[in-house]
Amino acid sequence: MVLLRKLPGMPGWPAALGLRLPQKFLFLLFLSGLLTLCFGALFLLPDSSRFKRLFLPRRATASASSSSSASSSSASSSSTRDTELPRSPPAAAEPRHASPAAPRRPREKLRTAARMAGPNRTAPGPRQQPQGGESRAQPAGSEPPARDTRAPFRFDYERFRRSLRHPVRGGRRGEDPETRARRMKIKEMMKFAWDNYRQYALGKNELRPLSRNGHIGNMFGGLRGATVIDALDTLYIMELQEEFQEAKQWVEQSFDLNVNGEASLFEVNIRYIGGLLSTYYLTGEEVFKNKALQLGEKLLPAFNTPTGIPRGVINLGSWSWGWASAGSSILAEFGTLHLEFLHLSELSGNPVFAEKVMNIRRVLSRVEKPQGLYPNFLSPVTGSWVQHHVSIGGLGDSFYEYLIKSWLMSDKKDSEAKKMYDDALEAIEKHLVKKSAGGLTYIAEWRGGILDHKMGHLACFSGGMIALGAQHGPQDSRQRHMELAAEITSTCHESYTRSDTKLGPEAFRFDAGSEATATRLSERYYILRPEVVESYMYLWRLTHHPKYRLWGWEVVQALEKHCRVESGFSGIRDVYSTTPTHDNMQQSFFLAETLKYLYLLFCEDDVLSLEDWVFNTEAHPLPINHTDFRAPWG
């Protein structure tokens, strides 16, 4: 023992105390007993003890137990063991969308920015202290396994389908030949994209069409088949039956959830869980529900922070230290969970998912909003804003989208979400909506009170969102908001028409005499993004103005000319080049969103009717809760 080791030139320290041999023996016996007692006491401390975590390794048994329990429960589940559609939980105490590179499509550089904006840079404002056991962090190792997903009721799927006001694929009424021909062209594009993915990259996350191989990446923590999950509901809606069965078979036989790696909570939720839930509601196939519930349980440790605001990254293979990261959480990431998590609770009978997202609302209701705006970074430790950067594009976008859609999904009962949306939109109108010298309306970004006169492609979803929300507002604001939605969508269309390829850049600016064009080389690329055609689809359905279909067909022609290659579709590096180079990536969201929205743009309104469905931020349709579908056992 180091304590008893002699130092050069000095006697052992027990001898230095003048102790005789019997006394030394008794002293050493006492000291050994004391050390044994102290070490043993570590095992009696609660799992939440920080002192215990200094000495003992994390326990992975809880995770394994939870996963095993969920797996066995799901395996024994039958088609009669479903639950009801999501009902909005009771409104939280008081007040309450997605991003570009981070939320809507998080990229590493944005995550790095969030981490670098750590708590030591917290913007001035009231410091939020954890209150009660609910908001206090517990180490992920102490998170109890989620309760058995078997619920004491079942989901009456047939009754649910009968309750829909429109057939999922529409009523097949007569239509003009040109509209049908254009829709069939988009269906052919989907089949082409899927066939090449299946041939060269099945099981990988995305297709590299130029090199004809697959891309895995590090965004999904070891999960594979992102394109499969993202494409499922699009294949179903387009009636690509053989291709849908191929995708379903891969999920049944090859989709492995036992992975170990760091994943984006946001991306796994919107792509994997959203895609699985959507396909279950469309088809009634149990495999999709069971996979969604199992994967949902793997995301719960991300919420083990002092405030309950989840971290953006979760290790899918172990119960990681929930609050250990010093980075910030991104508004569009932790604010884009509500729709999917309510469905997870309703289909599992486990309220923990709904409780997690309702707690996020409680935290946001307590924190002060500068000028009524929601900054993009929040500390999951203190519950305070980190920097005052506000954007309706990347880092912020889908947070606002999920407010209005939460209200719609609750069949307009979640009044808290509606108020939070209305208040946020009012602040956006007041501080961020601007008009250029050429008369183009855009939404600027806000950096601590200073406006940055640029708009990202990701922010172009807002035209559709504002139009959707306008349908349910007072008459005086309805017309104003519909005009605003149309103007923003027109500006985004201008960003397309002012490029040589007729495709829009990643971001465009309104300064130095430039309007709706990218002025920086780093903003000139197009990666098959959907936000502009998303707004075209909503504006078409809500106004039936023919220009939106015309604009959508222009996008189809540009995609065919500049993005279609021999083995799939690829993004391009410069929309202002007449001979653009390709980035060799067929993004999974191209199949989930871009092609789906284009297809719906040329469908009748009753195909995935807005009266029955809301789309998550990856365009996966989730049903509106018209009624209670719980049915007794037996």
Side-chain angles (χ1 to χ4, degrees), residues 537-601:
M537 190 277 289
Y538 280 112
L539 268 294
W540 162 256
R541 289 212 171 176
L542 298 173
T543 69
H544 287 150
H545 196 297
K547 69 181 179 182
Y548 298 112
R549 280 185 165 174
L550 175 62
W551 293 353
W553 187 244
E554 291 173 355
V555 175
V556 171
Q557 293 175 310
L559 288 169
E560 284 284 288
K561 182 176 181 179
H562 299 291
C563 298
R564 185 165 182 154
V565 294
E566 187 175 346
S567 300
F569 288 88
S570 170
I572 58 177
R573 301 186 185 279
D574 186 354
V575 298
Y576 300 103
S577 170
T578 55
T579 57
T581 57
H582 296 93
D583 65 10
N584 194 26
M585 185 67 71
Q586 180 176 281
Q587 303 281 352
S588 80
F589 56 75
F590 178 66
L591 289 79
E593 300 184 75
T594 310
L595 292 178
K596 183 186 286 126
Y597 284 132
L598 284 170
Y599 183 82
L600 293 174
L601 178 59

Side-chain angles (χ1 to χ4, degrees), residues 7 20 56 64 72 102 104 131 137 148 179 201 208 214 219 302 361 471 478 482 498 503 601 618 630:
L7 297 175
R20 297 179 181 179
L56 299 182
S72 62
R104 210 110 156 159
Q131 298 179 6
D148 188 350
T179 299
R208 292 187 178 274
M219 192 162 56
R361 280 202 188 166
Q471 304 305 300
R478 177 174 179 175
M482 284 302 295
R498 298 184 184 198
L503 295 168
L601 178 59
E618 191 79 1
R630 282 179 296 182

Side-chain angles (χ1 to χ4, degrees), residues 179-341:
T179 299
R180 184 182 187 282
R182 291 181 172 182
R183 186 173 71 249
M184 290 301 101
K185 173 58 184 175
I186 298 163
K187 179 177 178 177
E188 182 276 330
M189 294 167 69
M190 178 67 185
K191 178 174 171 53
F192 179 75
W194 170 261
D195 285 347
N196 281 283
Y197 167 77
R198 181 200 60 214
Q199 181 175 354
Y200 299 112
L202 182 62
K204 302 298 192 296
N205 285 322
E206 286 157 321
L207 166 68
R208 292 187 178 274
L210 299 184
S211 52
R212 297 181 181 178
N213 59 3
H215 171 72
I216 296 176
N218 57 5
M219 192 162 56
F220 304 115
L223 291 174
R224 304 295 176 91
T227 293
V228 178
I229 307 300
D230 255 352
L232 276 163
D233 53 15
T234 309
L235 293 171
Y236 181 84
I237 292 301
M238 292 186 181
E239 299 185 77
L240 290 166
Q241 308 286 12
E242 181 179 339
E243 292 77 8
F244 176 81
Q245 291 302 321
E246 293 167 350
K248 176 189 171 186
Q249 183 179 51
W250 186 89
V251 173
E252 292 174 325
Q253 300 178 1
S254 304
F255 186 34
D256 184 12
L257 301 182
N258 296 316
V259 296
N260 186 13
E262 289 194 339
S264 162
L265 172 69
F266 167 82
E267 295 290 353
V268 171
N269 177 62
I270 66 169
R271 301 200 202 199
Y272 285 90
I273 291 182
L276 291 166
L277 288 172
S278 170
T279 311
Y280 168 69
Y281 283 120
L282 291 172
T283 68
E285 298 279 359
E286 289 285 305
V287 61
F288 302 116
K289 182 188 74 172
N290 294 338
K291 292 287 188 180
L293 296 179
Q294 292 172 43
L295 186 54
E297 289 187 358
K298 286 178 169 284
L299 301 185
L300 292 175
F303 295 83
N304 296 334
T305 68
T307 60
I309 296 294
R311 295 174 300 119
V313 176
I314 175 71
N315 191 309
L316 297 176
S318 64
W319 294 78
S320 52
W321 309 99
W323 52 270
S325 171
S328 302
S329 295
I330 297 172
L331 179 67
E333 294 190 341
F334 68 78
T336 309
L337 303 168
H338 203 95
L339 304 185
E340 298 85 357
F341 271 51

